[in-house]
């Protein structure tokens, strides 16, 4: 049942984003920022953890999950360091995902030999 819930929740998120892309004139970069911000807001209210428990990877892998990770880091850092934690928390928790994206993107560019657009 865990796989099924992850599949349909992740698919629903992707379908809603696709509809948003088709029906609005928002650029993909803005939609990505919107998803991260929505994930952070949902996490702020404490609603994201029960969502992740229900949907597993279907909720934690999309960009909504990245917003959740950033917000969790900010909450921890604020409780430990006070106001300065607002600036520290997101970097500490989001660093692994960003580094992995950079490393794997670089490795893919070595394997597939990208060419510039003409």
């Amino acid at each position: 049942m865990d796989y099924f819930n992850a599949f349909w929740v992740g698919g629903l998120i992707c379908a809603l984003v696709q509809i948003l892309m088709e029906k609005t004139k928002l650029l993909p970069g803005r939609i990505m920022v919107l998803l991260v911000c929505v994930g952070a807001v949902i996490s702020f209210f404490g609603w994201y953890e029960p969502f992740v428990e229900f949907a597993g990877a279907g909720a934690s892998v999309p960009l909504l999950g990245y917003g959740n990770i950033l917000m969790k880091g900010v909450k921890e850092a604020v409780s430990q360091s006070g106001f300065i934690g607002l600036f520290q928390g997101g970097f500490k928790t989001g660093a692994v995902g960003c580094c992995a994206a950079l490393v794997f993107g670089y490795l893919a560019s070595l394997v597939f030999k990208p060419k510039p657009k003409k």
Side-chain angles (χ1 to χ4, degrees), residues 30-99:
R30 292 184 180 184
I31 292 174
M32 290 169 48
V33 170
L34 179 69
L35 288 170
V36 172
C37 292
V38 167
V41 168
I42 293 171
S43 178
F44 175 78
F45 289 115
W47 301 334
Y48 210 84
E49 287 305 316
F51 184 49
V52 169
E53 287 177 20
F54 172 74
S60 61
V61 171
L63 283 173
L64 291 171
Y66 189 68
N68 176 45
I69 289 171
L70 292 176
M71 184 55 73
K72 282 183 5 184
V74 168
K75 284 181 185 178
E76 288 176 17
V78 166
S79 68
Q80 292 173 357
S81 304
F83 179 74
I84 197 74
L86 285 172
F87 307 103
Q88 295 174 338
F91 288 112
K92 288 182 181 177
T93 58
V96 173
C98 288
C99 287

Side-chain angles (χ1 to χ4, degrees), residues 1-24:
M1 196 64 172
D2 291 339
Y3 293 122
F4 179 73
N5 287 338
F7 178 77
W8 77 263
V9 169
L12 180 65
I13 292 170
C14 291
L16 291 174
V17 170
Q18 188 65 41
I19 291 169
L20 184 66
M21 289 175 70
E22 297 292 329
K23 297 295 181 187
T24 66

